[in-house]
Every structure is written in C-alpha cells, then in structure tokens.
Amino acid sequence: MAEYIDFFNVYIMGSTQIFFQFYFFVKILKKKVKFPVYILFTVCAAFVIDFVPAGTILEFGTFVLLLTLGGMLLCHANFKSSILYAALATEMMLLCFGIVKYLSTILYLAVPAALRVHAAAGIVFMLSSEMASLLLTGICYFFIYRYYSCYIVAEMQHIFLVFIPILMIFIMGEYFNSLESGVEIIESAGTIGYLFNHWWLLILHVLGIASLFCILFSYKKLLHSFRLSTQLSLLEQEEHSMKQYVEEAKAHYDETKSFRHDVRNHITVIKELLQNGKMEQAVNYIEDMDEMAENMSFPCSTNHPVVDILVGNKLGIAKSMGIQADCSLLLPYPCGLRDIDICIVLSNALDNAIHACKSMDVDAEKYIRVSGRIQGDFLMMEIENSYQGNSMFKEGTGLSNIKTVAEKYDGAMSAEMRGNVFVLQVLLILPRHSEGVSQQTD
C-alpha cells in the first residue's frame, strides 16, 4: 500500500503540479503553445525532478531552471522574463503547498487517535490536502495574472526589484523548513506532540505569500509612478514646444500681415517707376520684394504648417552652425496624428542630431537629413545625421519620448549606427478614422 501511495505522490501529483505550474507560466508570459507541448514538458520535468532530492534548494533551482529553459525554447520568451516568472511561479506554489501542509498537519492532530489509524482516512486526508494545495495555488496564480502580469511585463528593466525579494523569501522559507527536519515525533499515551510549533511555520508561510503580493503591489505602484513621471516630462516638453511654436507663428503672421498691408503701396511705387520709364529701378524694387517674400516663407515645406515651423526652425539652427540640412518629409494636413505628437518626435530627433553634429570636429562633414512620407496607413520618418565617436550610444530622455509616442500609435522606433552615420527610424500607424490620407500624398 505504501508503494502505491509513494507512486501517486511522486508521479501522479508531481506531474499534475508541474503541468499546472507550466500552464500558469505560459499564460503569464502571454504566449501560446499547443497541448502536446504541455505534456512533453511535464514528462521531461517529472523525469528530471525524480533525480533531485525533494524539499531542497536544489529542487527549487531545478524547477526554476526547467521553467526558464521551457520559456526560452518552447515559448520563445526572453531570458529575463522567463527566469523572473519561473522563480515567481515556483515560489508561490511552494508557499501554497507549505501552508496547506502545516494546516493539514494541525487538523490531523486534532482528529481522534482512533480515526488516524485507519488507512482509508489517511488517504482521504492526503488527497484532500493535495487538492486544497492546488486550489490555493490556482487562486494565487489567478490574482497574479489578473492584476499584476501586465505591469511586470511592461518594464522588464526593473526585474531585480521583484526577483531579489522573491529569492530572499525563498531562502528564509528554506531556512525555516530546515528547522522542521529536527522535529521529533513523540508518541505517549495515544497522543502525538511536536517539539516544533507548526502554527509558527504556518504563519511564516502565510506571511511569505503576503510578502510576495506586497512586493507585486509595490512594484505596480512604482511603475505607475514611473509612467506618471514620463507623462509629466512629455507634458512639460509639450508646453515648452507649444509656447515656442506659437510665438514663431505669431511673429510669422505679423510679418505676413505687415507685408500684405504694405503690398498696395509697393504696387503703387512700382507703377510710378514704370510710368516714369525707370525700368531698372522697378526691377530692383521687385527683386527686393521677392527677397522679402522669400524670407517670410518657410525654409522647409512639408505641406503641414506646424511641422513646417518646427523643422524650419531646427534646420535653420543647424545651418547657422555650419551643418548641411536637407528635408524631404511630405505630410498631408490633417494626417490623423496629433500635431504635438509629431512635434515631440521631430523636435527630439533633430535636437539629438544637432547635438551630435555640434560635438564633431570642426573640419568634419556635418549633415542632417529628414525624410519620410505616408504610405497607406503607415507613416515612416527617418532622421539621419553624421556622427563621430564609438558605435555605442545611450538612449536618453529624447529617444525615450520618441519611443513613447511611437508606442502610442502602435508603431515602433529603431536607432542604429551605420558606420559614422546615426539613423533614427520611427514608424507610426495612422488611426482608422483618418481615411483619405494616403490619397492626399499620392
């Protein structure tokens, strides 16, 4: 009978736990695998775990390693997310099984001794304990997946804020579990007493689960704070940019208004010069007027008035520094994107390009090229500039703001070095309601 019970505990319930754990692991990774993959992983993991001593740190490490490899090879997930979720899933299951184990032990001691001697009662008690452990683990898995998975996936660069506390909770749990190995069971007068307080172990495991959820909750709040900080930075930049562009638009409008007000007088002067036969002076006067009109026009024409002001201003600054500037960006107006979002992308990109060119040697060739157009529902913009230095660059606030805007429109951003040239590409997907945009660009 004991052999059947051992077989059931090791292979049946052990495989069930592995299958259940891997299912949660795949779900929280937000991946999809076929059912035979679950069976394959369960069988392989059960075979490996059979050679590992139960209830040891080695068993925990083996579980984490197997799940990590499964996430990378079977689910095609990255290493950071795989090892984090593997540790979280394994530690949560160990804590849940520990809670049920010590609680069932306490309840078992409360059962009259006459009932404990029956084998059937022991089997029923064991099955109930295993089912309760899986149920408690499932509830904890559900709450993690439902309320915290999106936040953990969002910012994997902060993985150690979650991983290290999980590891510390495991180490403390293993320490207290090791104390249980020194517990001796004393039987006297039909009673069983434990030298070690199982209530204390139960409380420690409950506190372990509570600590895990507190860590996840704090991490969620911390990420929310990071996002608010990023949004605040974008809003401050928007406010600064809008004030700058409004002032430039006002100045341009005042110049245009003044020119329109004086154009009748200019025509009168030209007419008088022509009537008096002063042809050469009339031609010179017309050339002066043409120069005035040229100064009031935008140095960059993208068909988008807001972008014209922005790019014209930035490229004007670049030219004043001896940087060659060229713009072949073509945008319709309106194009379905918020003006301020396009300005955030272009202003940060051009500021970075100007700064990179400014840092180059005096005799080096400096240039900035802006290009892009809308094709169908996609807007692809490319900002290319000369670059001097090593091939590594750091993604600062400017590129981070561009990436935020790209993700807002379900697009993407890529930045790479091509020799001595830095190339920034930004892909934005136009909202569906902006129909007819592609026709305007053709």
Side-chain angles (χ1 to χ4, degrees):
M1 188 66 177
E3 295 179 357
Y4 291 107
I5 294 177
D6 290 340
F7 177 84
F8 177 82
N9 285 330
V10 175
Y11 295 101
I12 304 301
M13 291 308 301
S15 299
T16 303
Q17 294 172 20
I18 294 172
F19 182 91
F20 191 60
Q21 189 174 358
F22 185 64
Y23 177 79
F24 165 76
F25 179 69
V26 173
K27 293 291 290 183
I28 200 171
L29 280 175
K30 300 191 181 301
K31 302 292 183 178
K32 291 184 179 180
V33 298
K34 297 181 179 179
F35 183 76
V37 176
Y38 288 101
I39 301 299
L40 176 63
F41 179 84
T42 301
V43 173
C44 295
F47 177 78
V48 174
I49 293 298
D50 188 40
F51 294 95
V52 180
T56 62
I57 295 180
L58 181 60
E59 184 185 33
F60 174 83
T62 304
F63 259 114
V64 173
L65 178 61
L66 289 174
L67 284 176
T68 302
L69 293 176
M72 297 174 62
L73 300 178
L74 302 178
C75 303
H76 305 289
N78 60 66
F79 173 75
K80 286 185 177 181
S81 57
S82 295
I83 191 173
L84 171 62
Y85 289 140
L88 178 61
T90 304
E91 178 62 15
M92 185 60 71
M93 177 168 281
L94 289 177
L95 288 173
C96 290
F97 271 75
I99 288 176
V100 176
K101 171 186 174 183
Y102 295 117
L103 181 61
S104 61
T105 301
I106 294 171
L107 295 177
Y108 186 77
L109 293 177
V111 175
L115 295 178
R116 291 201 299 265
V117 297
H118 294 286
I123 293 175
V124 171
F125 199 85
M126 181 191 69
L127 290 176
S128 301
S129 177
E130 295 288 351
M131 296 302 298
S133 299
L134 289 176
L135 179 61
L136 179 60
T137 305
I139 293 174
C140 293
Y141 281 171
F142 171 78
F143 277 101
I144 293 175
Y145 177 78
R146 177 67 175 82
Y147 297 103
Y148 301 107
S149 61
C150 293
Y151 289 88
I152 302 178
V153 171
E155 300 289 345
M156 287 307 300
Q157 60 264 37
H158 306 299
I159 178 177
F160 291 106
L161 294 178
V162 181
F163 183 77
I164 292 179
I166 291 175
L167 191 60
M168 292 301 299
I169 291 174
F170 166 75
I171 293 174
M172 294 300 298
E174 287 301 308
Y175 170 73
F176 288 111
N177 285 337
S178 66
L179 297 180
E180 186 190 12
S181 62
V183 175
E184 296 182 359
I185 301 177
I186 301 177
E187 297 185 8
S188 61
T191 61
I192 299 179
Y194 278 89
L195 296 179
F196 193 86
N197 192 338
H198 280 73
W199 276 106
W200 180 240
L201 282 174
L202 174 63
I203 293 173
L204 288 176
H205 279 71
V206 172
L207 290 176
I209 286 186
S211 299
L212 276 181
F213 278 104
C214 288
I215 291 169
L216 295 177
F217 179 78
S218 301
Y219 184 74
K220 177 180 177 180
K221 291 296 183 182
L222 183 62
L223 287 187
H224 185 63
S225 176
F226 286 161
R227 291 177 180 177
L228 288 179
S229 177
T230 301
Q231 292 176 1
L232 180 61
S233 175
L234 285 174
L235 289 174
E236 290 177 349
Q237 184 179 9
E238 289 180 6
E239 181 183 8
H240 174 73
S241 299
M242 288 300 294
K243 287 182 178 179
Q244 179 181 356
Y245 303 145
V246 167
E247 292 299 325
E248 292 179 7
K250 286 181 177 179
H252 185 79
Y253 175 78
D254 291 339
E255 292 177 0
T256 305
K257 183 178 179 181
S258 176
F259 181 81
R260 292 176 59 187
H261 179 268
D262 295 336
V263 71
R264 183 171 298 177
N265 296 329
H266 295 314
I267 293 174
T268 302
V269 172
I270 294 173
K271 186 186 296 184
E272 290 291 334
L273 291 174
L274 293 174
Q275 289 176 351
N276 295 329
K278 300 179 180 180
M279 185 66 67
E280 184 178 353
Q281 294 180 9
V283 171
N284 292 335
Y285 198 92
I286 292 174
E287 290 178 352
D288 292 339
M289 289 182 60
D290 183 62
E291 184 178 351
M292 291 175 58
E294 181 66 25
N295 291 333
M296 285 186 294
S297 63
F298 294 108
C300 178
S301 179
T302 65
N303 293 332
H304 194 294
V306 177
V307 176
D308 286 346
I309 297 175
L310 168 66
V311 178
N313 176 59
K314 298 296 183 182
L315 296 186
I317 294 175
K319 290 180 179 178
S320 67
M321 296 180 177
I323 303 172
Q324 299 178 10
D326 178 67
C327 177
S328 58
L329 179 63
L330 181 61
L331 295 173
Y333 187 78
C335 64
L337 305 174
R338 291 183 63 212
D339 294 343
I340 192 63
D341 290 331
I342 301 177
C343 289
I344 289 175
V345 172
L346 292 173
S347 62
N348 281 287
L350 291 174
D351 284 342
N352 289 342
I354 293 172
H355 178 74
C357 292
K358 185 179 178 182
S359 303
M360 297 176 64
D361 295 337
V362 178
D363 56 346
E365 181 183 2
K366 307 175 185 179
Y367 69 89
I368 299 174
R369 297 192 186 104
V370 183
S371 61
R373 62 182 290 119
I374 290 178
Q375 295 182 349
D377 293 333
F378 301 92
L379 168 60
M380 172 63 80
M381 291 183 288
E382 182 176 281
I383 296 87
E384 176 184 325
N385 63 271
S386 52
Y387 184 85
Q388 191 174 50
N390 54 43
S391 58
M392 300 297 294
F393 62 91
K394 184 178 180 180
E395 182 174 322
T397 304
L399 291 180
S400 178
N401 291 342
I402 295 174
K403 186 177 181 181
T404 300
V405 174
E407 292 175 349
K408 175 181 177 180
Y409 290 96
D410 299 322
M413 181 203 78
S414 68
E416 60 177 339
M417 292 296 304
R418 300 175 184 173
N420 293 327
V421 179
F422 180 82
V423 180
L424 174 67
Q425 293 179 328
V426 182
L427 174 66
L428 304 177
I429 300 178
L430 303 179
R432 286 292 182 180
H433 63 268
S434 56
E435 298 179 358
V437 169
S438 58
Q439 285 83 351
Q440 297 180 44
T441 62
D442 295 336

